[in-house]
Amino acid sequence: MSVFSFKQRNNINLVIIIALGLLIAYSLQGIFSAILSTLVLYTIIRPVYIYLAETKGWNRRLAALFIIAVSIVLIVLPFYALSSMVISKISELRNNEIFFKNLLVKLQHLLPIKINETLIQDGMNRIGNWATQLFPSLISSAVNIILGLLVMYFLLYFMLIERKKFEHSLIKYAPLREQNALRFGDEMRNTTYANVIGQGLICLVQGSLVSLSFYVLGYKDPVFWGVITTFISFVPVLGPPVVFVPAAILQIANGNNFAGWAMLIFGFVVIINIDNVLRFIIAKKVGNIHPIITVIGVIIGIPLFGILGLVFGPLLLSYFILLVKIYETSTLASERLERIKTNNGQNEL
């Protein structure tokens, strides 16, 4: 006979499960971004897989491999190519002392106050170091990048080919009622679409407009600054003005008044307002994420995930708020049910 009762054995098993789960989670912290990337990518490409494998009748493994190959070509390769371009350009600018000296001289003529050159130089170096650390280096972090991608696509492959079993397990083991678990899944999908596809589209359009306007007006490195604008546009408080306003001021300082004022007018009239137009359209289609959530999410996400924190930070914060809302709804429903039972019991008496 066991010295433990049935309830005691269950409690001990629960404690062991929680302890092992925490140990496993701690061991997987190095690939947490890969796991989160898998969930986000699965949410986005799930309708495509359903269409190919279940509507068109493709072989499940073939459909999964085809989608993975397309995602590598459309997402992974361009992202790391752009990251490499940004890193090399930032390093080039940081090592170009003549460029910064000329920049300080122009600013000194434009502004009525005295500029501390040492302070500005230190600030630019800090910004350069911070910006370089945001982007994954293909040279110094090649092993980690390859490992993360292998883990992400390995998990994604089996999540796709075992889609129904995977989603059934999520509902079965989720600490939520079935209707709340389904609701969380729907809201998570809409939030992911709004933040990744919706916000990504807005940033891409704004970055493209900045790049195009720089090219037309004769600014240097229009592609580079368009890419920078695309990333910065994920932060609503900053956005495109961080790029095009200083560039326009420098053009005015150089005597190119038309290029400077044209950029300022086009930037504030078109590039800024295109954000509001696209955000309104996207909000009607898949939902919207409040700018406060985006800003706080970026502050949380960048220290954890680097440049990917621009996407993952707001997503994690949105998921957290969604879980709080579901918990609040469940608690209110439970309290209402208890009051009904209490009132029925009193009536019977």
Side-chain angles (χ1 to χ4, degrees):
M1 293 291 294
S2 174
V3 297
F4 300 106
S5 66
F6 176 77
K7 184 176 182 180
Q8 288 174 333
R9 288 198 298 271
N10 280 343
N11 290 335
I12 292 173
N13 285 336
L14 180 60
V15 170
I16 294 174
I17 290 172
I18 294 174
L20 290 176
L22 292 175
L23 179 61
I24 293 171
Y26 177 78
S27 302
L28 294 177
Q29 63 178 335
I31 59 171
F32 179 71
S33 60
I35 296 174
L36 185 58
S37 299
T38 305
L39 294 175
V40 172
L41 199 55
Y42 174 82
T43 303
I44 294 173
I45 66 177
R46 176 179 176 272
V48 180
Y49 175 80
I50 292 176
Y51 175 77
L52 293 178
E54 300 177 17
T55 303
K56 289 295 185 180
W58 283 32
N59 179 275
R60 291 181 302 164
R61 290 175 172 80
L62 178 62
L65 290 174
F66 174 76
I67 292 174
I68 287 173
V70 171
S71 71
I72 292 174
V73 173
L74 296 181
I75 301 175
V76 177
L77 295 181
F79 177 78
Y80 284 108
L82 293 175
S83 298
S84 299
M85 182 189 72
V86 171
I87 291 172
S88 62
K89 190 63 180 179
I90 290 174
S91 300
E92 177 187 335
L93 291 175
R94 287 173 58 196
N95 295 328
N96 192 346
E97 295 184 3
I98 298 177
F99 169 80
F100 284 110
K101 288 181 179 179
N102 292 334
L103 177 62
L104 291 175
V105 170
K106 293 173 184 177
L107 289 176
Q108 186 64 68
H109 286 294
L110 189 64
L111 300 175
I113 60 175
K114 179 67 176 177
I115 298 177
N116 188 326
E117 295 186 10
T118 303
L119 183 63
I120 295 294
Q121 188 69 42
D122 291 342
M124 295 301 295
N125 287 333
R126 290 177 182 271
I127 293 174
N129 290 330
W130 176 76
T132 303
Q133 292 173 0
L134 283 180
F135 292 89
S137 173
L138 293 177
I139 299 175
S140 62
S141 305
V143 175
N144 292 332
I145 292 173
I146 293 174
L147 177 61
L149 289 175
L150 287 176
V151 170
M152 181 180 74
Y153 282 117
F154 176 80
L155 294 175
L156 182 63
Y157 173 78
F158 286 101
M159 287 166 62
L160 288 173
I161 64 174
E162 301 291 341
R163 183 189 70 84
K164 293 182 179 179
K165 185 183 296 185
F166 168 70
E167 294 179 2
H168 176 74
S169 299
L170 288 180
I171 296 174
K172 179 179 179 181
Y173 293 105
L176 302 169
R177 294 181 179 179
E178 182 175 351
Q179 61 268 31
N180 286 333
L182 294 174
R183 175 192 167 194
F184 177 76
D186 291 337
E187 292 292 337
M188 186 181 75
R189 179 193 62 206
N190 293 337
T191 300
T192 304
Y193 284 174
N195 194 72
V196 178
I197 299 178
Q199 187 63 28
L201 177 62
I202 292 172
C203 296
L204 186 61
V205 169
Q206 289 184 314
S208 300
L209 288 175
V210 168
S211 181
L212 179 62
S213 57
F214 273 29
Y215 174 77
V216 172
L217 295 173
Y219 288 43
K220 291 183 178 180
D221 302 316
V223 176
F224 168 75
W225 291 112
V227 173
I228 293 295
T229 304
T230 300
F231 286 117
I232 293 178
S233 296
F234 273 94
V235 187
V237 174
L238 299 177
V242 172
V243 175
F244 72 74
V245 170
I249 292 175
L250 287 177
Q251 290 293 324
I252 295 174
N254 286 330
N256 300 325
N257 291 327
F258 174 78
W261 286 110
M263 186 67 248
L264 288 174
I265 294 172
F266 182 76
F268 284 108
V269 173
V270 177
I271 297 176
I272 295 298
N273 290 313
I274 199 70
D275 181 316
N276 299 325
V277 174
L278 292 176
R279 198 178 298 276
F280 176 76
I281 296 173
I282 292 168
K284 292 180 65 177
K285 297 292 184 180
V286 295
N288 192 17
I289 295 180
H290 197 278
I292 294 178
I293 295 177
T294 303
V295 173
I296 297 176
V298 167
I299 295 173
I300 296 171
I302 286 180
L304 292 175
F305 307 108
I307 194 67
L308 294 178
L310 293 173
V311 176
F312 291 161
L315 278 180
L316 287 177
L317 187 58
S318 299
Y319 296 162
F320 172 76
I321 294 174
L322 178 58
L323 285 173
V324 171
K325 290 180 179 179
I326 291 177
Y327 174 79
E328 181 183 12
T329 302
S330 299
T331 302
L332 292 175
S334 299
E335 291 177 354
R336 192 181 302 113
L337 183 61
E338 287 296 327
R339 286 198 299 269
I340 293 174
K341 289 182 178 179
T342 302
N343 292 334
N344 290 337
Q346 291 176 352
N347 293 333
E348 290 178 359
L349 292 176

